[in-house]
Amino acid sequence: MASALVGRLAAMVPVLLTVAATVFLLLRIGIGDPAASMAGDAASTAQLAAIRTQFGLDQPVAVQFATWLGHAARGDLGTSFYFRVPVADLIGERFGPTVSLAALTLAVAVALGVPLGVAAANRRGRWLDRTLMGFTVVGFSAPSFVVAYACVYIFAIRLGWLPVQGYAPLSAGLGTWLAHLVLPVLSLAPVYVAVIARMTRASVAETLGEDYVRTARAKGAAPVRVLLRHALPNAAAPVLTVIGVAIGLLMGGVVVIENVFNLPGLGRLVVDSVVAGDYPVVQGAILVSAVICLGANLAIDIVYGLIDPRIRT
């Protein structure tokens, strides 16, 4: 298990290098000259040259990348062109809202998706199965921003139950923190509930047809025990895979929802930085997101090994 873990950690290095190089090059190609954005329209050629020298933008792209990568390896993600503060500090300030939104959304998705999928598999082909799968199609198809604006209109504007926008940290109180996250989570969770429910349904339905499940039934095991003790644990691997993929998708999905609900998270920071041509912030935020996704998938791999000894190596 330890050697497999070391192997997976080593495999993360080329992935992170590829992500870093791709983001670095795409930003140089797509955003334009950040020196011109910082100096303004009235800047002289000398002022532009001074800004490029100050931030190392006059160096060849390969030199810029090597310098940035070396600093990033030591935990230094550079200084924001726009905010003029260290990128690591800026990301640390915006980390809380994004993690809160993503963690709550994933918790809701797993808490609803797995039971719905198990119930549908246990009643496959019947009205409950068809009804639940119909709801998952709706949840999977509805755009998050449409759900977000519908939730704001119903629960914030018409009923006045919840705040329209904004974020309150956990230090402001659990109730206040949750009140500001309910609508964003309701907007983001349906698609993940649908995906997890459909995968759980397919995996459990397949497992229920295995010989050992029929043997358990023939020995007189109760239906609930057959479902929860024999079928669900053996159907867990595909569901865990989907949860790992969902974590990666969540890091992208929060961008839209954070902008709709004015949450000061990483997604909104990336959008603002792209508009401002702030290379270091975009690079740093995407690199941190990539590390989170890889770490989550590494955790999923570890759980695989715990539930199925055959895939520990």
Side-chain angles (χ1 to χ4, degrees):
M1 186 68 181
S3 60
L5 182 60
V6 171
R8 285 174 172 80
L9 285 172
M12 291 170 61
V13 175
V15 175
L16 285 175
L17 287 175
T18 302
V19 171
T22 303
V23 172
F24 194 90
L25 291 175
L26 287 178
L27 288 174
R28 265 58 184 179
I29 295 171
I31 288 184
D33 186 1
S37 301
M38 286 185 282
D41 296 335
S44 64
T45 304
Q47 289 172 318
L48 288 173
I51 292 175
R52 292 191 183 104
T53 302
Q54 178 184 355
F55 291 99
L57 299 172
D58 56 342
Q59 299 294 318
V61 173
V63 174
Q64 292 182 42
F65 178 67
T67 303
W68 174 74
L69 198 61
H71 290 165
R74 298 192 296 271
D76 179 8
L77 297 175
T79 302
S80 165
F81 294 162
Y82 183 76
F83 297 100
R84 306 299 176 97
V85 297
V87 173
D89 293 348
L90 205 54
I91 291 175
E93 293 173 2
R94 303 296 187 96
F95 203 61
T98 298
V99 171
S100 299
L101 176 58
L104 271 181
T105 301
L106 189 64
V108 169
V110 173
L112 293 179
V114 172
L116 290 177
V118 171
N122 196 40
R123 294 287 186 272
R124 63 185 183 280
R126 302 179 184 177
W127 68 268
L128 180 62
D129 179 25
R130 291 193 287 270
T131 302
L132 291 177
M133 290 303 101
F135 279 119
T136 62
V137 171
V138 174
F140 191 77
S141 305
S144 295
F145 71 93
V146 173
V147 179
Y149 285 119
C151 288
V152 167
Y153 178 75
I154 295 171
F155 297 108
I157 296 176
R158 298 293 297 180
L159 299 176
W161 291 350
L162 296 165
V164 177
Q165 289 183 328
Y167 174 76
L170 190 56
S171 59
L174 181 62
T176 306
W177 177 71
L178 282 174
H180 284 83
L181 288 173
V182 168
L183 292 184
V185 170
L186 282 179
S187 307
L188 198 55
V191 61
Y192 300 102
V193 172
V195 170
I196 292 174
R198 292 186 75 85
M199 178 53 74
T200 303
R201 188 255 185 203
S203 185
V204 172
E206 181 181 353
T207 306
L208 287 174
E210 297 291 339
D211 291 341
Y212 60 86
V213 172
R214 285 194 290 268
T215 302
R217 286 171 172 158
K219 289 183 176 179
V224 173
R225 179 177 173 79
V226 171
L227 191 62
L228 300 182
R229 178 67 181 84
H230 298 280
L232 187 57
N234 290 290
V239 180
L240 286 173
T241 301
V242 169
I243 292 173
V245 173
I247 293 172
L249 294 176
L250 267 172
M251 296 308 295
V254 297
V255 174
V256 174
I257 296 303
E258 283 181 358
N259 279 275
V260 170
F261 289 99
N262 197 25
L263 300 178
L266 277 180
R268 190 175 166 204
L269 176 64
V270 169
V271 172
D272 292 343
S273 300
V274 168
V275 173
D278 200 346
Y279 289 161
V281 176
V282 180
Q283 292 165 180
I286 292 178
L287 189 63
V288 169
S289 299
V291 171
I292 293 173
C293 293
L294 290 173
N297 280 279
L298 177 64
I300 295 293
D301 286 344
I302 294 173
V303 176
Y304 279 156
L306 295 177
I307 64 174
D308 190 346
R310 295 172 299 178
I311 52 178
R312 285 181 183 174
T313 58

